[in-house]
Amino acid sequence: MYSMTKFESAAQLRLRVEAALKAMDAQAPVAESALSIKALLHDLTVHQAELERQNHELRQSQQALAVSQEGYVSLYEMAPVGFCTVNAAGLVLACNAMAASMLGLERSLIPGRLLTQFISSEDVAPFLRLSQEVLQGTGVASPPFVDSQTAVGELRMVHKNGSLFAVQIRMTDAVDTHGERILQIALSHTEAPATPASSGFGELGIAPGKLGNHSETTDQERLENAVLENDAMLRRVVDGFGPNVFVGLLTPDGRVLMVNQSAMALGNVRWSDVVNQPVERAPWFRHSEVTKQQLRRAVLLASQGTPSRFDMQICGDNEQTLTWIDFSLQPVLDASGQVSYLVPSALVVQDRKQAEEQLLESENRLAGIVDMALDAIITVDAAQRIVVFNPAAEAMFRLPQSEALGQSLERFIPARFRTDHRRHMEGFAGGQARAKPMMAGRPVVGVRADGQEFPLEASISHGKVGEAQLFTVVLRDITLRLQVEREKSAIEEQLRQSQKIEAIGTLAGGIAHDFNNALAVIQGNTQLALEDIGANELAKQSLAEIQKASTRARNLVQQILSFSRRQATQYLPVDLAPVARESVRLLSAALPARVSILVDCDADVPAVMADAGQIEQILINLSTNALQAIGEQNGRIEIRLDCVELDASYAKHHPSLIALHAKQPGRTVRLAVSDTGPGMNAATMDRIFEPFFTTKPVGSGTGLGLSVVHGITQSHGGAIEVASQPGQGTVFTLYLPMAQKQPAHPVAREETRASVSPGGGNKRVLYIDDEASLVVLAKRLLEPHGYLVTGYTDPVEALAVLRADPQAFDVVITDYNMPNMSGLDVAREVREIQSNLPVAIASGFADETLQLQYTEAGVQEIVSKLGAMEGLRAVIERAVKTGPPT
């Protein structure tokens, strides 16, 4: 860098000039000559002061560069996105800490490696194509802050552990200090100093012509003599400026009269090449026509008395070696005010220009990072006025940069938070911390230009540029993230509910077999006791109550199985009006006198694809729930069946029906159960369909009733709504899609049953069940009616007996769930032994496997163990009559 220490100071220069003037005054050749030389030396002294000022400006530029670099490094390192610089060959030149963290590598291991090593093999080709398009400027637009190309895309990168992760990549091209094109890449989850010009200067030369105007006065010879006499002194003064200062003398029309040794040494210029030549033809300016035009214009202005000053480049030995100079051309006036000659002077400012270029590069790089950032970046001054507002901030706050700059940051903060914001900023400015990283604090709230509020995450940093204190805020809109988190929480909650249901289903499936076996024994023996009790009415009443209790227990198991969807279901076209009336008939007997129940069914309601038993269960559960809600008060329960047109308008006012409308719009059956109970608040309504949730006292409810209703409704492809307010009762409304094919008039089930003969006709029954009490019960139920029953608790032993005599039995009845083999396995073995021997399976829990495979296994019929004597007799008669399936 140029410094005054390389040559004489201004004070020393003035002393030398004064000494020279005293010597001239002693000789006193010509007064006018002395005045002219004094004026010239005065101008040179002024120019020296100007050079000192330029040095000061250079130091300020270097300080500004240091501050800019510090700000750039701070933002580059704390940015929440990864940054990489890659050359045209694809090698990583540099990266920030975030990029290394994303790849799971030490930062020092990344530079020097191909970026494609960290990109999924499937995405390498698109990445290379995109990078070439950016480098070649094909089909992408240039951002306004640099003459470059920018492109955005997505690809997958490879973590150190081998896992893939997706990133959004933004590429911008640039030029480094060597003129090579590079890529600046942002991932989002240079100049080396120019070669200094060579130094070496030729001889000092003075044109052999005459100074001043050649057609002038009779004093011309004396003036020429005076100049010649002081030539040596002038050379010492002019050459005293040092190697980085070029000084000369031109005629008013711009012809060279004199240049100092420093200028001549640059490029080893010979004096004969420049003397009396127009200055623009000098070898230093041969590289550029633009520079020559600048010089011609400067000469024209100076000849008219107007000085010029500008930066330009000059060449030395060859046109490729260029040196920046600060060039000035000053006119010198004679006593009459006319321009007598021109003084060109130049200061080598290569260091200053290099600092300016580095500063510009740093600013452009910083601007590139700021403008490429996916997060909003806003910088404010100490008065909270916005001085930086990047494109992401424009998009986030929906306000153009031109309108945002100069405004207060509080414009984007809701009024209720502004006091807290001021207090926070004051505390942050006075503290020791320079930055608060992203996600370190709580989410904040921003407000867009249109008044819409939205959640944000913010990081704040502060620093000084000169004496000015600046605050930079990096903002990220987390609206989508919070929405995803809410959806994730909802999905997790649904998963937990599903896991509960699965656990209940597993439990229900596990206990259904043993529990139903026990109920079958209870019900069968109760039936036998009723037949044997005779005329004892009190005992009959007791036995009847036992039957009712066992039936309720059976229904409870079926309800749990239905809730957990472990019960096999058969959907048929069902007219819901008879189902609703039958449910009311069953419920009426159990209702207290203070509660009435009504049913209102429209005549033209279409059938739905449903399991009639499960629809009946829904009505009983909802009515029971309504009765318990009414409590000891007088009240009314109403069941209403009608049809609605489920169109977009109707779905708009019933959000829970949007999915049903999208799947099956049109006529939809509506089944509503309402009560005049106390109603529910919003908190209760949010949880009523959760399994095991109940508002009843301990021991008064299972918390499964409404969960079963919800589960059955969904399994039927329907939807359910609930409307309630405290003190205004509750309405549950089911929407079920209409069956595509409406049923013919159903035939009564009794007409399809096989007739039961008064006696068993000595039909031989092989009965297999691992529960000994059920084998005994079957014998007691069947043998009095003429059947010959052979019972076994071990299916292997029973099959061995059958193999010994395949013609020994007319029908086989086997349990489904047994320790050694299932009823389906028994049926398959029977089919191998005697293909025309009918088989029926008795089960307390008919799961989907049994429903789907019983025909293939050769099973004639499935019978519930809870059917008691009539059920077993009917099954045997049908099985014997129809024979095994073919």
Side-chain angles (χ1 to χ4, degrees):
M1 184 182 70
Y2 170 73
S3 173
M4 286 293 294
T5 58
K6 294 184 179 180
F7 49 84
E8 294 173 311
S9 67
Q12 291 171 323
L13 180 61
R14 283 193 296 272
L15 290 176
R16 291 186 58 193
V17 171
E18 289 172 359
L21 290 176
K22 287 179 180 178
M24 290 174 58
D25 290 339
Q27 297 174 2
V30 179
E32 292 83 19
S33 176
L35 290 174
S36 298
I37 293 174
K38 287 181 181 179
L40 173 60
L41 293 178
H42 175 268
D43 289 341
L44 294 176
T45 304
V46 170
H47 186 67
Q48 178 64 27
E50 177 64 15
L51 293 178
E52 292 180 348
R53 182 191 64 79
Q54 291 178 13
N55 274 326
H56 178 67
E57 291 178 354
L58 175 61
R59 287 191 292 271
Q60 287 185 324
S61 297
Q62 291 171 330
Q63 291 173 356
L65 173 62
V67 172
S68 175
Q69 288 176 330
E70 180 183 1
Y72 160 72
V73 171
S74 176
L75 182 57
Y76 183 81
E77 291 301 328
M78 71 173 290
V81 293
F83 289 102
C84 295
T85 301
V86 180
N87 67 11
L91 291 176
V92 179
L93 303 178
C95 69
N96 69 347
M98 178 57 72
S101 175
M102 293 170 72
L103 296 172
L105 293 171
E106 292 291 334
R107 185 174 179 180
S108 60
L109 299 179
I110 298 176
R113 299 174 65 177
L114 289 171
L115 185 61
T116 51
Q117 291 180 278
F118 310 111
I119 298 175
S120 168
S121 59
E122 297 178 359
D123 292 344
V124 168
F127 167 78
L128 293 176
R129 184 167 58 252
L130 181 64
S131 61
Q132 287 304 311
E133 289 177 356
V134 174
L135 286 170
Q136 296 170 6
T138 305
V140 290
S142 297
F145 55 88
V146 289
D147 182 16
S148 63
Q149 308 294 337
T150 298
V152 179
E154 291 186 359
L155 53 75
R156 292 164 296 175
M157 302 195 75
V158 183
H159 192 269
K160 176 184 177 181
N161 60 18
S163 63
L164 299 178
F165 61 97
V167 298
Q168 185 179 64
I169 182 169
R170 185 184 295 252
M171 276 189 265
T172 298
D173 70 325
V175 179
D176 66 10
T177 53
H178 302 289
E180 300 292 335
R181 299 194 72 82
I182 59 174
L183 286 174
Q184 293 178 338
I185 298 177
L187 306 172
S188 191
H189 142 105
T190 41
E191 296 177 331
T195 303
S198 58
S199 299
F201 300 89
E203 61 178 352
L204 172 67
I206 298 179
K210 300 179 180 179
L211 290 173
N213 192 326
H214 293 273
S215 60
E216 291 293 329
T217 68
T218 57
D219 291 333
Q220 189 66 41
E221 293 297 329
R222 286 183 295 169
L223 177 59
E224 182 177 333
N225 293 333
V227 172
L228 291 174
E229 289 175 359
N230 290 282
D231 178 66
M233 184 271 296
L234 287 175
R235 291 178 185 174
R236 289 194 298 272
V237 172
V238 171
D239 289 338
F241 285 108
N244 288 325
V245 181
F246 307 147
V247 181
L249 194 66
L250 308 179
T251 63
D253 61 354
R255 293 181 177 275
V256 178
L257 294 177
M258 183 187 73
V259 290
N260 70 344
Q261 288 184 352
S262 296
M264 296 294 292
L266 183 63
N268 296 316
V269 175
R270 293 176 300 178
W271 175 239
S272 59
D273 294 336
V274 297
V275 64
N276 282 328
Q277 296 293 321
V279 65
E280 68 270 16
R281 294 183 185 176
W284 304 293
F285 313 114
R286 67 184 183 275
H287 65 288
S288 171
E289 287 298 324
V290 174
T291 301
K292 293 177 181 178
Q293 292 177 6
Q294 284 180 300
L295 286 169
R296 283 192 287 269
R297 177 167 176 78
V299 169
L300 177 61
L301 291 174
S303 67
Q304 299 171 356
T306 302
S308 297
R309 181 180 178 185
F310 49 86
D311 289 349
M312 66 177 180
Q313 286 182 298
I314 58 176
C315 61
D317 293 333
N318 57 70
E319 297 181 11
Q320 285 70 42
T321 304
L322 301 178
T323 302
W324 278 102
I325 61 171
D326 178 0
F327 179 80
S328 174
L329 187 60
Q330 299 283 342
V332 176
L333 306 181
D334 59 18
S336 63
Q338 297 297 313
V339 175
S340 59
Y341 52 86
L342 310 178
V343 178
S345 60
L347 171 68
V348 175
V349 291
Q350 189 74 10
D351 291 339
R352 191 195 80 192
K353 294 299 290 187
Q354 179 179 327
E356 289 176 353
E357 289 172 357
Q358 290 176 347
L359 178 61
L360 179 61
E361 178 190 359
S362 176
E363 290 173 349
N364 287 341
R365 187 180 299 171
L366 181 60
I369 292 174
V370 170
D371 284 2
M372 281 196 308
L374 300 178
D375 295 323
I377 298 177
I378 302 175
T379 300
V380 298
D381 58 19
Q384 298 294 292
R385 290 186 301 270
I386 296 173
V387 296
V388 173
F389 199 77
N390 74 335
E394 290 183 295
M396 178 181 292
F397 292 102
R398 300 170 186 171
L399 188 71
Q401 183 188 67
S402 58
E403 295 184 28
L405 294 178
Q407 294 200 30
S408 172
L409 182 63
E410 291 188 353
R411 170 171 181 173
F412 306 113
I413 301 173
R416 63 185 183 279
F417 296 124
R418 289 174 183 170
T419 301
D420 291 340
H421 167 72
R422 295 188 199 106
R423 183 167 56 250
H424 174 74
M425 293 299 289
E426 290 170 0
F428 182 61
Q432 297 297 320
R434 288 184 56 96
K436 287 189 176 181
M438 183 76 73
M439 295 179 287
R442 59 180 176 83
V444 296
V445 179
V447 59
R448 307 188 202 276
D450 57 8
Q452 178 189 3
E453 293 188 3
F454 63 103
L456 290 166
E457 271 183 347
S459 66
I460 305 174
S461 62
H462 74 89
K464 285 188 175 182
V465 177
E467 296 300 319
Q469 189 172 40
L470 297 178
F471 298 85
T472 297
V473 185
V474 180
L475 302 169
R476 178 174 295 172
D477 187 343
I478 58 174
T479 302
L480 182 59
R481 186 207 300 170
L482 293 181
Q483 179 182 342
V484 170
E485 289 176 353
R486 287 193 296 268
E487 292 174 354
K488 179 182 176 183
S489 297
I491 292 172
E492 289 174 347
E493 181 61 26
Q494 291 175 3
L495 177 60
R496 285 192 290 269
Q497 295 297 335
S498 298
Q499 290 171 339
K500 287 182 182 179
I501 293 172
E502 182 67 23
I504 295 169
T506 302
L507 175 64
I511 69 172
H513 173 260
D514 294 337
F515 194 61
N516 282 335
N517 279 350
L519 289 176
V521 173
I522 294 172
Q523 286 189 322
N525 283 284
T526 301
Q527 180 65 33
L528 292 173
L530 283 170
E531 294 177 358
D532 297 340
I533 199 65
N536 190 335
E537 295 299 325
L538 291 177
K540 285 183 178 181
Q541 291 180 8
S542 298
L543 291 172
E545 290 300 321
I546 293 173
Q547 275 193 321
K548 289 180 182 179
S550 62
T551 300
R552 286 196 298 271
R554 178 196 66 187
N555 291 339
L556 178 60
V557 173
Q558 297 302 318
Q559 182 168 290
I560 294 174
L561 291 173
S562 297
F563 162 71
S564 60
R565 302 183 189 178
R566 299 290 289 257
Q567 181 78 3
T569 303
Q570 185 176 12
Y571 297 104
L572 299 171
V574 175
D575 183 358
L576 295 186
V579 177
R581 294 189 182 98
E582 178 63 17
S583 300
V584 170
R585 187 187 66 79
L586 294 174
L587 288 165
S588 297
L591 290 178
R594 66 181 182 275
V595 179
S596 62
I597 184 168
L598 305 174
V599 61
D600 181 12
C601 301
D602 285 359
D604 61 345
V605 177
V608 298
M609 294 299 293
D611 183 305
Q614 290 192 347
I615 298 299
E616 184 177 294
Q617 185 176 350
I618 286 177
L619 292 172
I620 291 174
N621 283 9
L622 291 177
S623 300
T624 302
N625 198 67
L627 176 62
Q628 293 173 342
I630 293 172
E632 299 299 322
Q633 305 297 320
N634 294 333
R636 184 180 71 257
I637 302 172
E638 183 175 349
I639 299 176
R640 170 78 175 135
L641 178 66
D642 60 5
C643 189
V644 298
E645 188 69 26
L646 182 55
D647 54 17
S649 176
Y650 193 91
K652 181 179 179 181
H653 294 88
H654 299 267
S656 60
L657 303 182
I658 293 176
L660 180 59
H661 169 260
K663 181 173 61 176
Q664 192 168 343
R667 295 192 72 193
T668 303
V669 175
R670 180 171 61 182
L671 180 62
V673 178
S674 61
D675 65 65
T676 58
M680 295 179 289
N681 57 29
T684 302
M685 288 174 61
D686 287 341
R687 301 190 60 193
I688 55 173
F689 294 122
E690 292 183 11
F692 306 115
F693 174 75
T694 179
T695 58
K696 304 178 184 69
V698 176
S700 299
T702 62
L704 290 176
L706 292 178
S707 299
V708 169
V709 170
H710 188 266
I712 293 175
T713 303
Q714 287 192 324
S715 68
H716 280 70
I720 186 169
E721 283 187 332
V722 57
S724 184
Q725 289 186 4
Q728 298 186 18
T730 301
V731 181
F732 287 92
T733 305
L734 279 72
Y735 295 86
L736 299 171
M738 179 183 71
Q740 298 299 316
K741 293 184 179 180
Q742 294 298 304
H745 294 291
V747 179
R749 182 173 178 179
E750 287 75 15
E751 297 176 4
T752 65
R753 293 177 179 174
S755 60
V756 179
S757 61
N762 295 322
K763 292 183 176 70
R764 298 163 298 173
V765 179
L766 176 60
Y767 192 91
I768 307 171
D769 197 304
D770 61 320
E771 189 73 33
S773 58
L774 287 176
V775 174
V776 173
L777 177 62
K779 288 185 176 184
R780 291 189 61 191
L781 286 171
L782 295 174
E783 287 180 344
H785 296 276
Y787 296 95
L788 301 176
V789 181
T790 302
Y792 291 95
T793 57
D794 184 357
V796 176
E797 183 181 355
L799 290 173
V801 171
L802 182 62
R803 286 192 187 93
D805 186 2
Q807 305 298 327
F809 301 99
D810 299 309
V811 64
V812 176
I813 299 178
T814 178
D815 186 17
Y816 174 51
N817 288 303
M818 293 181 290
N820 295 326
M821 58 195 312
S822 72
L824 292 174
D825 296 330
V826 172
R828 294 186 182 99
E829 291 290 335
V830 171
R831 194 169 188 177
E832 291 291 329
I833 297 170
Q834 177 61 277
S835 61
N836 61 352
L837 181 62
V839 178
I841 288 182
S843 175
F845 171 42
D847 62 11
E848 291 187 7
T849 302
L850 178 58
Q851 291 281 353
L852 294 173
Q853 298 184 15
Y854 79 95
T855 302
E856 172 270 329
V859 176
Q860 176 68 24
E861 191 169 346
I862 300 173
V863 61
S864 172
K865 288 184 178 181
L866 306 180
M869 181 175 63
E870 290 82 358
L872 280 177
R873 289 175 60 195
V875 168
I876 292 171
E877 294 300 324
R878 285 196 296 272
V880 172
K881 181 177 180 179
T882 59
T886 58

